[in-house]
Amino acid sequence: MKKFHPFFTIGTVGMIVTACLHMFLALSLSLISTHAVFFTLYPAFLTFMILGVVLTVKKQKTFV
């Protein structure tokens, strides 16, 4: 199994926690202002995930 870059783990956990918290707050509070905060967090964690994948693939290619 290949070892992923820590950015991938940060992005994955961040997306899962953000999505769960977003669903909980959307269903319980139903405030529109809370959605704006989450729509800025999703791209941030997605960037971490993409960087993690890119750096993992780059590291794999240097070993081959």
Side-chain angles (χ1 to χ4, degrees):
M1 186 174 142
K2 54 181 138 173
K3 182 157 172 60
F4 288 104
H5 196 274
F7 280 169
F8 182 77
T9 307
I10 292 169
T12 304
V13 172
M15 286 290 276
I16 292 170
V17 170
T18 301
C20 291
L21 188 62
H22 190 187
M23 287 187 286
F24 173 73
L25 290 177
L27 292 173
S28 64
L29 297 179
S30 65
L31 296 173
I32 295 175
S33 62
T34 59
H35 298 299
V37 174
F38 289 105
F39 289 139
T40 57
L41 287 174
Y42 286 124
F45 287 121
L46 186 65
T47 304
F48 275 114
M49 283 180 67
I50 292 170
L51 279 173
V53 169
V54 168
L55 292 174
T56 302
V57 169
K58 186 178 179 181
K59 189 175 181 181
Q60 289 279 330
K61 288 188 177 184
T62 58
F63 285 131
V64 173

